[in-house]
Amino acid sequence: MANRTDPAAKSIRGTNPQNLVEKILRSKIYQHTYWKEQCFGLTAETLVDKAMELDHLGGTYGGNRKPTPFMCLVMKMLQIQPEKDIVVEFIKNEDYKYVRVLGAFYLRLTGTDTDVYQYLEPLYNDYRKLRQKLVDGRFSLTHVDELIDELLTKDYSCDIALPRIKKRWTLESNGTLEPRRSALEDDFEEEEEKEEEDQIMAGLENGSHEKDYYRSRSPGRERDRDRKRDSHRHRDRDYDRDRGRGRDRDRDRDRERDRDRYRIRDEKDYGRDRERERERRRRRSRSRSRSRSRDRKDRGDREGGEHRKRHRSSVSPRRRTDEDGTAREESRKKKEKKEKKDDGTDHPDPEIAEQNRIRASLGLKPLRP
Amino acid sequence: MIEMVLNDLLGKKVRVKCNDDDTIEDLKKLVAAQTGTRVEKIRTQKWYNIYKDHITLKDYEIHGGMSLELYYN
């Protein structure tokens, strides 16, 4: 039968490799003409020729969700299960970007965690454009490194649920993987050295005038330097430098966000922040072993409250320029009432309030009676 | 505000309240929030008319109390 997996194939994640693709999508692929005509009796070599003819990637499209040829070829690879060397060859070849992407996708589905990170991360340096077919049939522009980022960080791509792989920092702490070295690291190092030199020069020239600027930057610098020295924080080096390309891993995203928020506030209020920064550093280093969620929530609550408080206090001076005192009060009350009702989540009927809460979380407007 | 029933004829019946100017995609998001399937996997139909994502319920003339068929992609 044409749709049976190669009998010599190993089982992937405990099941027939073709089962990595869901039943509905699998049936759609089997019924598709591309599969029936072109993918019959393909071997590893002839599959390369078909892959070279690809000119777009994507999942399913259209009202009845037809699969793309890319999908059919992925399915074929799952069926014949080529050797790892062949897949690595697909990935390493520089000429045909769709062959590369096909190999990368297959490896992401079937490879071990270490293999996935090891072979897919070099592809971050490939900036070539790709054509992606969207659900409604139109094409959109994407790039190889964007796609690799999606494969490594998201759990769903091209209409296939990607198998779970361990997070990178788990593998690093196990020692099975080296900490990530970005290709832009050398460029960043040069930039940082230049910045430091400029700073020192500026500090020497205008002693007192530039002192604020220098001091306001130093907590950030100190923290960075501390981080660099801490051996168990060694992995942060790369994430600190990798400013532009925020890799979506929970802890690092939080840390980056906190850092950015923190840096902006530095310019506004230096004195208070230093205390808090010391406290936070102490808290962080002390409570590393405890649950992170508590830390994050506390930090989030505190900072959210601070933000809101500061916002309100900065609004009131403006308000005071209003002429009429009573009119100002009324307008303020009206605005607060409007803020409350805007969301609709405090509707008297609990069912509707619940629905409005769900809608707000999805980004939809509240229900209109 | 209209209330609709989406029935997948294998036992899953979902009631959602929505505005008539919501798009089909918003409706699918609400259904996904209730059933737990992904938004892209849901397909709403009425007999062979597959409803497209970007059109509002008002334009499809879907009124309150109507029941749609729920299928999966």
Side-chain angles (χ1 to χ4, degrees):
Chain A
M1 275 300 296
N3 295 336
R4 260 225 304 257
T5 318
D6 186 272
K10 287 184 281 147
S11 76
I12 305 271
R13 313 216 178 233
T15 173
N16 185 344
Q18 291 196 79
N19 289 351
L20 281 172
V21 178
E22 281 178 351
K23 180 77 165 78
I24 298 179
L25 179 56
R26 220 184 317 147
S27 333
K28 289 226 173 84
I29 293 180
Y30 291 156
Q31 293 160 9
H32 196 240
T33 45
Y34 187 82
W35 173 266
K36 290 184 183 168
E37 288 172 6
Q38 317 281 351
C39 296
F40 184 77
L42 278 188
T43 62
E45 297 88 33
T46 42
L47 190 130
V48 181
D49 302 329
K50 287 278 179 247
M52 292 193 320
E53 290 167 17
L54 276 178
D55 68 344
H56 65 276
L57 60 105
T60 51
Y61 65 94
N64 51 354
R65 293 301 173 95
K66 292 171 62 149
T68 54
F70 183 79
M71 287 271 89
C72 297
L73 286 179
V74 171
M75 194 66 176
K76 196 69 192 177
M77 285 181 84
L78 285 172
Q79 194 182 38
I80 60 178
Q81 208 175 68
E83 305 274 326
K84 189 168 145 205
D85 320 334
I86 303 183
V87 181
V88 171
E89 272 310 308
F90 272 32
I91 296 179
K92 282 201 183 140
N93 105 97
E94 297 258 339
D95 306 324
Y96 296 95
K97 50 193 179 182
Y98 290 102
V99 175
R100 205 173 212 193
V101 164
L102 182 70
F105 200 82
Y106 178 78
L107 188 67
R108 173 65 175 86
L109 290 179
T110 57
T112 62
D113 303 351
T114 342
D115 282 343
V116 166
Y117 283 112
Q118 202 181 341
Y119 290 111
L120 259 49
E121 276 187 353
L123 292 185
Y124 270 132
N125 301 333
D126 190 344
Y127 302 131
R128 288 180 287 186
K129 298 185 191 167
L130 291 174
R131 201 184 287 137
Q132 182 173 32
K133 196 150 194 169
L134 299 172
V135 175
D136 48 8
R138 287 176 302 149
F139 286 104
S140 88
L141 176 69
T142 181
H143 299 83
V144 176
D145 52 349
E146 279 179 33
L147 185 78
I148 301 292
D149 194 35
E150 217 183 88
L151 288 182
L152 286 179
T153 50
K154 303 230 171 63
D155 61 351
Y156 194 75
S157 173
C158 287
D159 276 353
I160 294 185
L162 305 174
R164 298 274 166 87
I165 48 172
K166 295 197 191 70
K167 301 265 181 198
R168 201 175 203 291
W169 55 271
T170 319
L171 293 174
E172 281 174 24
S173 56
N174 277 347
T176 36
L177 264 188
E178 297 287 311
R180 178 154 175 266
R181 291 191 63 85
S182 158
L184 299 171
E185 200 174 283
D186 300 328
D187 295 341
F188 270 131
E189 266 189 37
E190 274 180 31
E191 246 186 62
E192 274 204 22
E193 281 177 14
K194 240 200 300 177
E195 266 184 31
E196 280 191 30
E197 274 180 25
D198 289 342
Q199 240 182 47
I200 293 174
M201 293 301 286
L204 284 177
E205 281 171 30
N206 324 352
S208 59
H209 193 58
E210 288 290 324
K211 206 173 187 188
D212 278 334
Y213 169 78
Y214 183 72
R215 281 172 85 208
S216 78
R217 282 188 65 83
S218 70
R221 294 258 140 228
E222 263 182 42
R223 196 153 43 88
D224 269 342
R225 245 182 272 133
D226 273 351
R227 280 228 185 109
K228 274 184 222 168
R229 289 211 200 100
D230 274 355
S231 60
H232 65 275
R233 298 252 179 119
H234 182 66
R235 76 181 82 96
D236 292 1
R237 240 173 114 220
D238 293 329
Y239 294 117
D240 270 350
R241 297 238 183 76
D242 239 354
R243 277 178 241 138
R245 324 191 84 187
R247 303 268 164 254
D248 282 354
R249 287 182 182 78
D250 289 346
R251 278 166 80 240
D252 301 316
R253 204 196 305 150
D254 265 347
R255 206 175 281 140
E256 258 194 46
R257 217 191 299 143
D258 277 353
R259 179 164 47 91
D260 282 344
R261 207 186 295 162
Y262 176 72
R263 210 164 259 160
I264 293 169
R265 284 199 287 144
D266 242 355
E267 273 133 36
K268 285 193 191 158
D269 195 352
Y270 167 69
R272 198 163 12 133
D273 284 350
R274 198 160 204 199
E275 261 304 310
R276 204 181 296 125
E277 185 256 328
R278 264 200 228 112
E279 201 194 283
R280 190 186 302 149
R281 209 191 315 171
R282 245 180 284 131
R283 265 174 97 222
R284 229 190 235 168
S285 59
R286 227 190 309 135
S287 64
R288 250 183 92 68
S289 54
R290 294 199 213 126
S291 74
R292 301 211 132 254
S293 58
R294 205 195 323 149
D295 250 6
R296 225 180 281 147
K297 201 180 17 137
D298 284 350
R299 221 181 295 147
D301 269 347
R302 197 159 35 92
E303 291 193 350
E306 280 297 335
H307 249 282
R308 231 176 285 137
K309 237 194 285 174
R310 190 175 299 129
H311 176 72
R312 237 181 243 154
S313 68
S314 70
V315 163
S316 51
R318 241 185 285 143
R319 283 273 185 79
R320 266 190 215 113
T321 63
D322 277 6
E323 304 160 33
D324 207 356
T326 51
R328 188 227 322 158
E329 274 220 21
E330 273 182 31
S331 69
R332 186 162 29 106
K333 270 200 207 135
K334 232 184 261 177
K335 183 154 191 207
E336 280 185 9
K337 231 194 258 178
K338 206 172 144 197
E339 274 176 3
K340 269 193 267 170
K341 274 205 189 138
D342 214 2
D343 222 355
T345 46
D346 51 355
H347 202 273
D349 188 348
E351 241 188 74
I352 299 188
E354 172 72 18
Q355 285 282 336
N356 279 335
R357 199 181 51 77
I358 297 177
R359 288 175 72 97
S361 71
L362 291 172
L364 302 171
K365 292 206 200 89
L367 290 170
R368 266 184 301 109
Chain B
M1 168 174 77
I2 55 182
E3 175 158 13
M4 316 183 31
V5 182
L6 281 93
N7 193 358
D8 117 351
L9 298 156
L10 300 169
K12 210 179 270 185
K13 209 163 178 178
V14 176
R15 280 163 41 134
V16 279
K17 287 188 178 52
C18 45
N19 289 330
D20 59 357
D21 59 356
D22 281 341
T23 59
I24 294 283
E25 184 164 7
D26 299 337
L27 178 68
K28 285 186 185 175
K29 284 187 192 165
L30 292 169
V31 170
Q34 264 188 280
T35 59
T37 27
R38 297 192 97 101
V39 176
E40 306 90 30
K41 295 271 173 206
I42 295 177
R43 195 168 78 207
T44 44
Q45 281 182 227
K46 192 115 180 118
W47 191 235
Y48 286 120
N49 300 321
I50 303 178
Y51 287 139
K52 295 203 185 353
D53 284 349
H54 55 279
I55 301 183
T56 60
L57 296 177
K58 192 158 65 160
D59 291 338
Y60 266 130
E61 297 195 6
I62 295 176
H63 306 296
M66 270 171 89
S67 80
L68 301 181
E69 292 151 27
L70 185 64
Y71 288 97
Y72 300 100
N73 280 318

